[in-house]
Amino acid sequence: MEFELVEVFGSGPLTGGPLGVVVLDTTYDDALMQRLAARLAMPETVFLRGGADGEVEVRIFTPYVELDFAGHPLVGAAAVAVQKGLAAPGRVALRTRGGTVRARVGPAADSAVLEERPCRVGPPVAPDLVCEAVGLAPDAAAGPVRPASAGLGFVCLPVSAAGLRSARALPLEVAALADRVPGLADVFGVAVFVPQLPEVRSRVFVPEPVCAEDPATGSAALAVAGWLADERRPEESLAFDIVQGTAELGLARMQVRVRRQAGRGLLAGVGGAVRTLVRGRLLLDGTADRT
């Protein structure tokens, strides 16, 4: 199987979010894909296969679970699909387990932009346990703490610049938030950010020990965009960059746009660079769990 390690939303070499991309010529057992994602130990690994009517079939796995939607994996999948000839440049349809997602990819296939998605922002929740789940004091929130989702839910925690630097990965505490805090049953992680435009700094923490701090998270960027638009209620759309990560992880840069449309609520999109770091082949026993 062809394999690539790409960096999505990178601001330079060895930055952004690492993504394993496996190109399939047939279907494989779900358990095999999950084990392979665990072995590769990327924040996510996607499996691509050419589908009907020009769509690209995409399966998204963390080292632990399969996801219906995730931002940086779909941005990377769209660009690699064009590079591999599974889709033509322009509007690329990605058929995921959660439905079809569309992205725009230029002829160079060195970046991609997810088309606008509805973004739901929930009511404020008690901040103390959310702050403590990322190693901060119970009163560290610098604004309302609210869940938001454009396909994968995050609780949005605004903080000061000092708070952003002090946050730390506590995956078990993040995992417990869904049960411990009313209103967070559907969240996957915590997006910690400094709500300052035009460049928002952020860090994202998830409940998975292998990648407890995610270096680049498109779905969290969409959630933060929804939070900002709902809090500020601009007359027109907001367009800004989110810079996520740390000096040790590398900094990711995501271009985000969010607007409010009558009858549809908030709509948000995210895009950025896609760069191939490693290209090769995965060699598996031909009898292993193949359907």
Side-chain angles (χ1 to χ4, degrees):
M1 295 184 287
E2 293 184 33
F3 167 77
E4 293 196 4
L5 172 58
V6 302
E7 295 172 330
V8 183
F9 302 136
S11 57
L14 298 178
T15 64
L19 174 69
V21 183
V22 181
V23 181
L24 303 176
D25 57 5
T26 185
T27 58
Y28 278 79
D29 182 76
D30 291 1
L32 176 63
M33 290 190 284
Q34 182 65 77
R35 288 206 305 276
L36 185 52
R39 180 63 57 90
L40 295 174
M42 297 294 104
E44 284 93 6
T45 296
V46 295
F47 296 83
L48 308 183
R49 191 165 72 96
D53 301 323
E55 288 190 334
V56 179
E57 296 181 8
V58 183
R59 302 285 294 275
I60 308 167
F61 290 84
T62 77
Y64 301 92
V65 296
E66 183 174 6
L67 300 177
D68 290 346
F69 174 86
H72 105 271
L74 289 171
V75 169
V80 174
V82 171
Q83 294 171 14
K84 296 295 185 182
L86 299 178
R91 197 167 185 246
V92 177
L94 306 169
R95 180 152 54 86
T96 73
R97 193 176 69 166
T100 298
V101 177
R102 290 176 172 80
R104 294 197 174 275
V105 182
D110 57 359
S111 64
V113 179
L114 293 187
E115 291 190 346
E116 290 180 328
R117 297 178 56 82
C119 184
R120 301 179 305 278
V121 182
V125 301
D128 53 346
L129 292 178
V130 178
C131 293
E132 292 173 354
V134 292
L136 297 177
D139 59 352
V145 178
R146 306 176 67 184
S149 175
L152 185 64
F154 286 83
V155 57
C156 299
L157 171 59
V159 297
S160 66
L164 187 71
R165 290 191 298 270
S166 299
R168 55 195 174 97
L170 300 170
L172 295 180
E173 284 79 356
V174 171
L177 286 175
D179 294 326
R180 297 182 68 193
V181 180
L184 299 187
D186 297 323
V187 304
F188 180 66
V190 181
V192 184
F193 64 102
V194 180
Q196 181 176 341
L197 296 175
E199 184 176 276
V200 175
R201 291 296 306 272
S202 75
R203 296 173 67 188
V204 175
F205 301 94
V206 298
E208 300 192 338
V210 168
C211 306
E213 179 169 359
D214 198 341
T217 320
S219 50
L222 295 172
V224 169
W227 185 99
L228 284 164
D230 205 63
E231 287 292 317
R232 294 171 179 259
R233 296 194 173 274
E235 295 182 3
E236 299 180 355
S237 64
L238 289 175
F240 55 94
D241 283 3
I242 293 181
V243 176
Q244 179 181 330
T246 63
E248 293 77 16
L249 284 175
L251 296 176
R253 182 173 292 273
M254 293 162 275
Q255 289 84 49
V256 181
R257 182 178 293 274
V258 60
R259 65 188 177 93
R260 189 180 298 276
Q261 186 179 76
R264 297 187 65 190
L266 291 172
L267 300 173
V270 62
V274 179
R275 177 181 182 273
T276 298
L277 182 66
V278 174
R279 183 176 289 124
R281 294 188 63 82
L282 295 169
L283 306 178
L284 298 180
D285 185 330
T287 64
D289 294 324
R290 181 177 294 189
T291 58

